[in-house]
Amino acid sequence: MNIKVNFISTSIRVLNYLLSFIYFFIKLIPTKRGKILFLSRQSDKIPLDFVLLKNRIKQMDSSASVVVICSRVGHSAKESFLFFVQMIRSMYHLATSRVCIIDSYWPAVSMLKHKKNLKIIQIWHSIGKMKKSGYQSLDKKSGRKSQYAMLLKMHDNYDYFIGGAEIFNKYYCEAFRISEDKILNYGLPRIDYLIETEKQNRARFYNEFPELKDKKVVLYAPTFRRNMKSGWENILNADISSDIAVIIKNHPGQCTHKAAETSHIRYMDDWETIDLISACDYLITDYSSIAFEAAVLRKKTFFWIYDYEQYMENSGINIDLKKELSHNVFKNIDELMAAIENDDYSTAQQEKFIRKYLLDDIGHSTDKIAGLAVRLAESKENNNEVYNNGRWQGRTVEEPSWNIKTFGGDRRRKADMQDNKTSAKGDSAGYGNHSNVS
C-alpha cells in the first residue's frame, strides 16, 4: 500500500511541475476582457446550471466570449488521457479569461498559479450541504487521502463560492477550506429552472405516460457512494401497492446494473432527474442534496437510510435526519412503501426543514451569478475587488441595469436550451444529469 501511495504522490508532483512549466509560457498570452470560461468534470455534456448561466450571460452582454469545457473523469487509460488533453486545453483558456466558473474540483484551477485578474467562481453542484465531502471526509473510506488532497491543492484558488442557505456556510468552510467572506448565498440556476418549468414538465410527463395519471408516482434517486456498495436493488423486492409506480434514477456516477422492469418499477433514461422531480408525487432518497431541490417544489420526500451507520463511518452527513425528519425517515423499505400507500407523511417536519435549509429568496440565482460573472469579466481592475456575502466592499460597484423578477405561478419564461454549443469532449448539445449528483 505504501508503494502505491508513494507512486501516486510522486506522479502528482511530476504532473504539478509539468503543468506549471507549460502554464508559465501560456500565461504570456494576453487576457481577453469579457471572456468567461466554464469547466466541469461531472459529465461530458454541459450541465444544466452552465446552460442557464451561459444563456443569461449572453443576454446581459452579447459581446461576452463564453467557452465551455466539460470532460468526465473515467477509470480507463483512454478516458484519463482524454481528460488530460481537455485539462491542457483549459490551461490556455484559464490564461486568457477574466472569469472561470466551475462546478467541481478541476486540477488545473487549484494546482496552478494564475494571473491576478482571473477570478474563479465555484458554484459546486448542489443547493445544500447534506453530506460531508472534501476536507470534511479526508482519510475516510469514501473520502480522499489527505496526502493526495494536499498535493493536488484540493479546492485552492477560489475567489467566490456560490452556496445555498447561510446555515450551510460552516460546512462549506470545512469542506472547501475557504473563509466565509468568499461565500455568496445565491443558490443555483437549477432552482429557477425547477420553478419555471414545473407545470410544463409535469404536463409533458403525463402526456407521455397517461397510464400513470391515477397512480402515485415515486421517484427514487439515491446519492453517490464512493468505495461503498449500494443496496438500492432492495427496492425491487419491496412490497409495493398496485397504485404506486416507482421510477428509478440511479446516480450518474454510480456503476449499477438494471433489473428488468415490472408493473411497479420503471427506468426513464431519456428523462433528466431534475425534470422528474416536477413530475413525481413523492421522492425517495437517502443523503442526496436532491432533497433540497424537491423541497423547492414541496415534494413529499422520504429518506431511505438502510446503511446509516456504515455511511456515517465512511463519509458522514451534516444534518441529523433522524432528529429533524424522524417521521419521514426509514431503514425498512416495506415500511416506507406502506407510508406512501397510506399517505403517512409529516408536512410539519418538511415545512420546518424548508424554513431552516432553503434560501428565503429563491428564483433569482441565475441573474445573480450571471451578473457577478459579467461585472468581473468587464471590470477594469477586478483584482482589487472583494465581495463579501453579496455586498461589495471597498469601491462602489453599480447594480446591474437588467431587471430581476420573481418567478412563480404562471409567470414562466422558457429556458433557452438551444444555444448549447460547447468545447466539451463530444460537443454534446444536451445538458448533463446533475440533479442528484451529491
Side-chain angles (χ1 to χ4, degrees), residues 58-88:
K58 295 298 288 186
Q59 291 170 356
M60 291 177 175
D61 183 2
S62 60
S63 65
S65 173
V66 179
V67 176
V68 184
I69 299 177
C70 301
S71 181
R72 184 172 183 79
V73 181
H75 299 289
S76 68
K78 179 181 178 182
E79 289 173 321
S80 297
F81 174 75
L82 291 175
F83 177 76
F84 180 76
V85 171
Q86 295 298 323
M87 189 166 63
I88 295 296

Side-chain angles (χ1 to χ4, degrees), residues 191-206:
I191 300 177
D192 307 349
Y193 176 85
L194 274 169
I195 296 171
E196 293 174 356
T197 63
E198 179 188 10
K199 287 185 177 180
Q200 66 193 57
N201 278 327
R202 192 169 175 84
R204 179 167 66 93
F205 178 84
Y206 285 109

Side-chain angles (χ1 to χ4, degrees), residues 23 27 31 97-98 113-120 159 381-385:
Y23 196 51
K27 285 191 294 183
T31 299
S97 296
R98 296 293 297 273
K113 184 177 181 180
H114 303 289
K115 296 178 181 178
K116 290 183 178 181
N117 59 7
L118 174 66
K119 297 302 176 184
I120 298 169
D159 294 292
E381 298 179 355
N382 66 10
N383 59 308
N384 293 322
E385 296 169 350

